[in-house]
Amino acid sequence: MPIRLIVGYGFMEHGFAKLGRGVDGFAHILQAIGMPFSSLLAWSTVLIEILGGLAILLGAFVALASIPMAIVLIVAILTVHFPNGFSSIKLQSFGPDGAHFGQPGYECDLLYLAGLAALVLGGAGPLSIDRLISHTLGRETETLPHQGR
């Protein structure tokens, strides 16, 4: 459950941040790095982050929701973060107005990918919609009359 909470909330937070700053601004960034169909990709990314994050947070359709979420992470690694190296924390200086950091690497994206993989391989956990669905379907099949008897 802790992995679900941090991965789900983290994705939603990133999606809402893009939405709050304006999806058109994110589309311009995508266009600047050479991504085709930047407006479509920007909106797709925001929706995947918000809706996928909510699905993970609730433990609903985790394996299915993880696929587009992993794609978003892999694209971010390859197009933005990989040239910046591994570390996500690059302290450049510290002054009167606080710390100043450089561009983040792909470390956090890998951690999110690992979290998604852990949830897909280990399941969403006992307090999840996936578990509720699984138990409900399991009980329904047990109560169905056996055919051929």
Side-chain angles (χ1 to χ4, degrees):
M1 186 168 193
I3 294 173
R4 250 188 34 231
L5 296 178
I6 191 65
V7 170
Y9 177 79
F11 264 89
M12 290 179 72
E13 184 67 28
H14 285 270
F16 282 125
K18 288 175 182 74
L19 194 60
R21 287 191 301 265
V23 179
D24 289 338
F26 181 53
H28 289 299
I29 292 169
L30 294 176
Q31 187 176 22
I33 63 172
M35 298 298 290
F37 310 108
S38 57
S39 289
L40 177 64
L41 287 176
W43 276 105
S44 298
T45 299
V46 168
L47 290 174
I48 288 167
E49 289 176 341
I50 293 172
L51 298 177
L54 181 61
I56 296 297
L57 193 68
L58 298 173
F61 312 104
V62 167
L64 185 62
S66 293
I67 295 168
M69 296 169 77
I71 291 169
V72 165
L73 290 167
I74 291 166
V75 169
I77 288 170
L78 296 175
T79 60
V80 177
H81 301 294
F82 192 76
N84 300 324
F86 177 76
S87 182
S88 288
I89 300 175
K90 299 206 172 89
L91 183 62
Q92 292 182 330
S93 65
F94 190 87
D97 55 343
H100 301 275
F101 296 94
Q103 294 296 316
Y106 53 90
E107 177 182 9
C108 282
D109 292 326
L110 287 179
L111 288 170
Y112 275 114
L113 280 170
L116 288 172
L119 290 169
V120 169
L121 295 173
L127 300 175
S128 67
I129 291 176
D130 282 353
R131 180 65 57 95
L132 179 66
I133 291 169
S134 144
H135 283 303
T136 302
L137 291 177
R139 287 189 193 122
E140 284 178 7
T141 58
E142 289 173 10
T143 59
L144 291 175
H146 295 290
Q147 293 181 357
R149 286 193 182 175

